[in-house]
Amino acid sequence: MSVVEFGGLCRALFRNDVGKPYHLDARKLAEMFSVFDKNEDGYLDREEFKMCWSKWIKTIVRPVSAFLIVDVQNDFINGSLAICNFQAQQKGEEVVPVINEALDTIKFDVVVYSMDWHPNDHLSFVTNVLKYPLHPTSPVKAEEAKTCDKVVYDGDPIKEQILWPPHCIQDSWGAELHPDLKIVDGALWIKKGHNPEIDSYSAFFDNAKISDTGLSRQLRQRGVTDVFVCGIATDVCVGATATHALDEGFRTILVDDACRGVCTDEIEKLKQNIMKANGVVINSTEVKSMVQGRDRRPELGYKLAMRLQETSQ
């Protein structure tokens, strides 16, 4: 298969659910071809195409999907850290019917619920700021710190921390998932932020990426290729989770209308960063056709090809 023929293959491959082809960037097309052209002769021989088929095309047309529902908990909706009280004034409860509709109508291979699960003495709580030593570079002194201030805690490593009201305390009402959120059988559960000395926004790692939750391993054990991320808050825990999903090599999709966030500018910045990293941002109405492999995005194909290149080196 020549470069020209590979381009024709990609134009047939990357189409939406009604058969309209997506635009293909010429540079990225050439980079994807080079991933499979191992001997660099400008042609995919039988063995090279077999690898292209088994490692790349099969994933694109038959993805294995995980629906990752991040922190749809009472405290973020109408409790101590309700996001409606922040700059964007978004209502966290609005994600619930969107998520429920997706769970009712789409057959995901894996469903994951993540939850903040903090002890009373967690360092992210503004009420605990005097309990942990601050680094000399901290822009705010402990005695003057208020909610939403950023401090720098001493330690190895030193840790930047935004201070929040006490929230999602283990076994409290605030830590419970919203009562109207649909819970499916056989889901994976990730509880994060239980180490009092470091915060954990992402469902994959703590904020310093020192320890992991085991989620990446569990998804790989189940053959997951595509991670659809939603929940609260877009520019905090959802964003950290999507970013780490990309870092871990998963084809990552942010379901925009199933998320609500804190700061308008930060929400937009997060979405732009996801797209720059070859993730995609979609509406929930587009999820089903992507899960079924009928809507095939070139960004995700490129992301997979680059991952294959990384892992083969």
Side-chain angles (χ1 to χ4, degrees):
M1 176 180 285
S2 67
V3 175
V4 173
E5 291 170 324
F6 181 79
L9 169 67
C10 289
R11 283 186 286 276
L13 190 60
F14 296 116
R15 294 173 179 259
N16 67 15
D17 62 341
V18 294
K20 182 178 178 180
Y22 288 107
H23 171 74
L24 293 173
D25 180 88
R27 177 185 60 82
K28 290 185 176 180
L29 193 64
E31 288 181 11
M32 290 189 290
F33 180 83
S34 68
V35 171
F36 307 109
D37 182 20
K38 295 297 185 182
N39 61 10
E40 301 181 359
D41 65 352
Y43 186 85
L44 300 188
D45 60 29
R46 177 183 291 272
E47 290 304 311
E48 289 169 338
F49 184 76
K50 280 173 63 177
M51 186 266 198
C52 178
W53 169 259
S54 63
K55 300 289 188 181
W56 192 63
I57 297 174
K58 284 176 68 174
T59 295
I60 292 167
V61 299
R62 292 199 293 268
V64 179
S65 61
F67 191 37
L68 183 39
I69 302 164
V70 178
D71 300 3
V72 185
Q73 294 167 270
N74 288 329
D75 268 343
F76 297 130
I77 294 172
N78 51 16
S80 63
L81 196 46
I83 62 169
C84 62
N85 296 325
F86 288 84
Q87 181 270 328
Q89 297 184 325
Q90 296 188 351
K91 297 178 179 179
E93 64 269 22
E94 292 176 348
V95 307
V96 174
V98 182
I99 293 171
N100 287 350
E101 174 71 12
L103 291 171
D104 285 337
T105 59
I106 302 169
K107 184 174 175 52
F108 296 99
D109 297 288
V110 181
V111 174
V112 184
Y113 297 90
S114 82
M115 302 171 70
D116 260 9
W117 198 249
H118 295 313
N120 281 295
D121 58 345
H122 199 265
L123 88 174
S124 70
F125 298 169
V126 67
T127 51
N128 291 330
V129 70
L130 294 172
K131 297 179 180 179
Y132 296 92
L134 295 186
H135 192 268
T137 60
S138 180
V140 179
K141 295 180 180 179
E143 298 79 8
E144 301 169 353
K146 304 182 299 296
T147 298
C148 293
D149 281 345
K150 182 183 286 186
V151 297
V152 179
Y153 284 116
D154 204 357
D156 185 18
I158 63 172
K159 299 177 283 289
E160 288 189 351
Q161 178 65 52
I162 297 174
L163 298 174
W164 307 107
H167 62 278
C168 298
I169 294 172
Q170 297 170 6
D171 298 312
S172 69
W173 169 86
E176 294 175 4
L177 295 178
H178 189 279
D180 294 336
L181 182 67
K182 181 180 176 69
I183 306 300
V184 300
D185 293 336
L188 297 178
W189 293 83
I190 298 295
K191 291 183 176 179
K192 57 192 177 67
H194 41 75
N195 181 346
E197 297 186 357
I198 192 164
D199 215 350
S200 297
Y201 291 163
S202 167
F204 287 93
F205 299 97
D206 65 50
N207 286 8
K209 227 173 180 182
I210 296 171
S211 62
D212 72 82
T213 65
L215 178 57
S216 185
R217 172 181 51 79
Q218 293 186 76
L219 294 180
R220 293 193 195 287
Q221 287 175 344
R222 291 161 175 79
V224 167
T225 59
D226 293 17
V227 175
F228 294 80
V229 187
C230 66
I232 305 171
T234 315
D235 46 330
V236 188
C237 294
V238 173
T241 298
T243 299
H244 283 162
L246 286 162
D247 290 347
E248 287 294 285
F250 294 105
R251 295 169 10 128
T252 302
I253 304 98
L254 181 73
V255 187
D256 191 23
D257 59 326
C259 301
R260 295 294 184 275
V262 172
C263 175
T264 304
D265 288 346
E266 292 302 315
I267 292 169
E268 290 307 310
K269 185 187 297 183
L270 180 275
K271 290 191 282 190
Q272 290 300 317
N273 287 341
I274 288 174
M275 290 186 286
K276 287 177 184 176
N278 300 301
V280 295
V281 179
I282 66 169
N283 187 277
S284 60
T285 57
E286 302 170 89
V287 173
K288 187 172 186 177
S289 58
M290 293 186 71
V291 168
Q292 294 176 343
R294 295 182 290 109
D295 183 349
R296 302 183 290 268
R297 305 293 175 103
E299 301 96 320
L300 301 183
Y302 180 79
K303 170 68 178 175
L304 177 59
M306 294 303 100
R307 178 66 174 179
L308 291 171
Q309 185 177 54
E310 291 172 10
T311 55
S312 67
Q313 292 175 347

